[in-house]
C-alpha cells in the first residue's frame, strides 16, 4: 500500500475524536503526519497518540511539503479561508461540514481546486449510514412505486451554549447538523436543480444568537416533497425517517427500519364510482379494501453498530480510492454546493438578530 500523508488542522472534537481516530484505524491507507491547534494540550495529545508533528499555527503545518491531504477541522467560520489557502498551496483538501456559508464561496473553492489541480471534498459521511443506504436500496427496487414524500428529523431536546451557537461562527442547527439530513434529502430529491424552499427557523433554548429549531420543506416538480426537521426542542423524538410512496412506505431510525408495500397486480380491482357507495342491503358504505401487504424489516448488522466509525471509514475509503486510483469521488463539491444554496436560502427567509459585544 501507499499511505497518504495527512495534516489535520484542528484537534478538537472533530479533528481528534473523528478524523484522527478514523485515520489511525486505516494505517495502510493514511498516515497522520502533522496536526495543528492553538491549544497546547490538544497538540500534545495528538503528538503522544500518533507520533506526528504538532504545530501551534496551521501556517506552520502548510509548510510541511511531504503532506498530500489537508483535513480542515477548524471552527466553521474558518472553513472557507483555510480551505482556500490549503488548495492554493497545492494540497488536496477534505473540509469538515459545513463546507461554506454561501454558494458563491463554494464556487470560489471549486475554482481554486480546478486551478491547483487538486481534489476538494466535504466530510458528508452520513450518506454512508447503513439505514440510509438500506432506504435507498428499497426505493430503487421499485416496490414502493413513486415516492411522494420523504421526512427526515434529526431532533432531540438540548440547551447549548458553546461557540457553535453563534452566527458569527457560522453556528446554529442548520449549519451544524443540517448538512447531514440535507445531504441525504437531496439524494432522495434526485435532481441537481435548485428546489423550491420554504423554511421556518426559531431561537428557543440556545444561549447563542443562532437558531436551534428548523423546519424545512423542499420540492421540485416531478420529485418527492422533502420535509426536514432539525430541532433541539423535541422532548419526544420519534422516527428519523418516514418515506411515503405509491404502494407503501418506510419508517425507522439509524438502527431499525420497517417497510410495507403491496404489488398492484395483486390488489383488488377497483374502478371509479361516481355515485354514493352502498352495501348490498342498500345502506351507505365507505370505500374500503384489504390490500395484500408485504411487510419487511431491517436491523443494523453488528459490524456496523459503531456507526460513526463505520461511516467515517467508508468515507475515507472512497477518498483514498479517488486519490490513489482515480476512482470517482462520491461527495463532490458541486453536489455540496446545492446543499449550501438551500441553507443560504433558508437564512435569507429567516433573518435573525445578532448578538453584539454587549450581549
Amino acid at each position: 500500500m501507499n499511505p497518504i500523508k495527512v495534516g489535520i488542522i484542528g484537534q478538537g472534537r472533530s479533528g481528534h475524536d473523528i478524523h484522527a481516530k478514523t485515520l489511525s484505524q486505516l494505517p495502510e491507507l493514511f498516515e497522520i503526519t502533522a496536526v495543528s491547534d492553538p491549544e497546547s494540550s490538544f497538540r500534545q495529545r495528538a503528538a503522544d497518540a500518533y507520533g506526528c508533528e504538532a504545530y501551534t499555527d496551521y501556517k506552520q503545518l502548510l509548510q510541511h511539503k511531504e503532506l498530500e491531504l489537508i483535513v480542515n477541522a477548524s471552527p466553521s467560520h474558518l472553513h472557507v479561508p483555510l480551505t482556500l489557502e490549503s488548495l492554493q498551496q497545492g494540497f488536496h483538501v477534505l473540509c469538515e461540514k459545513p463546507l461554506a456559508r454561501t454558494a458563491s464561496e463554494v464556487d470560489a473553492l471549486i475554482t481554486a481546486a480546478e486551478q491547483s489541480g487538486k481534489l476538494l471534498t466535504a466530510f458528508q459521511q452520513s450518506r454512508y449510514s447503513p439505514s440510509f443506504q438500506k432506504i435507498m436500496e428499497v426505493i430503487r427496487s421499485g416496490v414502493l412505486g413513486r415516492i411522494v414524500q420523504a421526512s427526515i428529523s434529526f431532533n432531540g431536546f438540548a440547551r447549548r451554549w458553546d461557540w457553535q451557537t453563534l452566527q458569527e461562527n457560522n453556528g446554529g442547527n442548520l449549519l451544524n447538523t443540517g448538512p447531514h439530513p440535507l445531504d441525504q434529502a437531496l439524494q432522495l430529491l434526485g435532481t441537481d436543480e435548485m428546489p423550491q424552499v420554504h423554511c421556518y427557523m426559531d431561537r428557543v433554548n440556545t444561549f447563542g444568537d443562532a437558531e436551534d429549531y428548523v423546519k424545512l420543506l423542499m420540492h421540485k416538480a416531478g420529485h418527492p416533497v422533502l420535509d426536514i426537521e432539525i430541532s433541539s426542542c423535541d422532548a419526544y423524538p420519534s422516527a428519523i425517517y418516514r418515506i411515503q410512496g405509491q404502494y407503501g412506505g418506510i419508517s425507522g431510525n439509524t438502527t431499525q427500519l420497517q417497510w410495507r408495500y403491496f404489488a398492484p397486480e395483486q390488489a383488488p380491482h377497483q374502478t371509479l364510482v361516481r355515485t354514493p357507495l352502498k352495501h348490498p342491503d342498500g345502506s351507505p358504505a365507505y370505500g374500503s379494501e384489504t390490500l395484500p401487504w408485504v411487510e419487511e424489516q431491517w436491523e443494523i448488522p453488528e459490524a456496523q453498530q459503531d456507526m460513526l466509525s463505520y461511516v467515517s471509514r467508508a468515507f475515507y475509503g472512497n477518498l483514498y480510492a479517488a486519490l490513489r486510483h482515480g476512482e470517482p469521488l462520491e461527495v463532490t463539491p458541486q453536489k455540496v454546493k446545492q446543499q449550501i444554496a438551500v441553507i443560504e436560502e433558508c437564512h435569507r427567509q429567516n433573518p435573525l438578530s445578532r448578538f453584539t459585544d454587549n450581549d
Side-chain angles (χ1 to χ4, degrees), residues 10-298:
Q11 280 297 287
R13 288 183 292 110
S14 175
H16 182 273
D17 297 350
I18 298 176
H19 293 282
K21 180 180 177 181
T22 301
L23 291 167
S24 68
Q25 297 170 350
L26 302 169
E28 71 283 4
L29 305 183
F30 298 94
E31 175 189 319
I32 302 174
T33 304
V35 301
S36 68
D37 199 287
E39 291 286 338
S40 60
S41 61
F42 290 1
R43 294 195 305 273
Q44 192 61 51
R45 177 176 60 171
D48 291 343
Y50 308 117
C52 61
E53 298 289 336
Y55 302 105
T56 303
D57 193 329
Y58 78 93
K59 290 183 178 291
Q60 297 172 292
L61 181 146
L62 294 182
Q63 295 303 310
H64 203 303
K65 297 306 180 184
E66 290 185 2
L67 299 177
E68 299 175 70
L69 172 67
I70 299 299
V71 175
N72 183 1
S74 63
S76 299
H77 63 291
L78 298 177
H79 286 178
V80 171
L82 271 60
T83 294
L84 186 61
E85 188 172 348
S86 299
L87 288 168
Q88 292 171 339
Q89 296 252 1
F91 299 103
H92 303 292
V93 181
L94 162 59
C95 184
E96 252 294 347
K97 52 78 184 169
L99 177 60
R101 175 64 176 76
T102 66
S104 63
E105 289 177 335
V106 180
D107 281 335
L109 295 177
I110 291 173
T111 298
E114 291 173 346
Q115 290 176 343
S116 65
K118 298 300 178 180
L119 178 148
L120 169 65
T121 187
F123 194 54
Q124 301 281 187
Q125 78 278 30
S126 289
R127 68 171 54 192
Y128 297 100
S129 163
S131 58
F132 181 70
Q133 291 294 317
K134 189 65 181 180
I135 286 171
M136 295 300 288
E137 177 187 324
V138 174
I139 289 174
R140 288 169 182 151
S141 74
V143 297
L144 302 182
R146 181 169 64 88
I147 302 304
V148 179
Q149 176 176 316
S151 302
I152 305 176
S153 62
F154 277 38
N155 288 358
F157 194 96
R159 306 193 310 160
R160 194 169 179 177
W161 54 90
D162 63 323
W163 65 268
Q164 287 184 305
T165 66
L166 294 169
Q167 294 183 58
E168 66 184 21
N169 293 333
N170 286 350
N173 279 18
L174 189 54
L175 284 163
N176 288 340
T177 304
H180 296 306
L182 266 173
D183 184 63
Q184 295 179 352
L186 290 173
Q187 290 181 76
L188 289 164
L189 183 67
T191 174
D192 291 333
E193 298 177 9
M194 184 69 176
Q196 298 174 13
V197 174
H198 303 278
C199 182
Y200 177 76
M201 302 196 299
D202 200 356
R203 191 164 57 203
V204 185
N205 291 320
T206 177
F207 287 78
D209 64 356
E211 81 288 342
D212 60 351
Y213 172 86
V214 179
K215 181 70 170 181
L216 169 59
L217 292 174
M218 295 187 291
H219 183 248
K220 189 73 178 176
H223 299 270
V225 172
L226 302 175
D227 179 354
I228 300 173
E229 286 187 11
I230 313 156
S231 173
S232 297
C233 313
D234 188 352
Y236 294 98
S238 54
I240 293 178
Y241 300 107
R242 294 289 296 274
I243 310 296
Q244 301 179 40
Q246 182 181 11
Y247 305 135
I250 307 173
S251 177
N253 53 38
T254 57
T255 61
Q256 293 181 324
L257 296 171
Q258 58 184 0
W259 63 99
R260 66 175 184 169
Y261 56 91
F262 70 92
E265 65 275 10
Q266 297 177 3
H269 178 70
Q270 305 288 0
T271 57
L272 177 65
V273 178
R274 295 181 178 274
T275 57
L277 297 179
K278 299 178 181 178
H279 289 296
D281 64 1
S283 61
Y286 182 82
S288 62
E289 61 182 352
T290 301
L291 292 172
W293 290 112
V294 176
E295 303 205 34
E296 300 189 50
Q297 59 184 6
W298 170 91

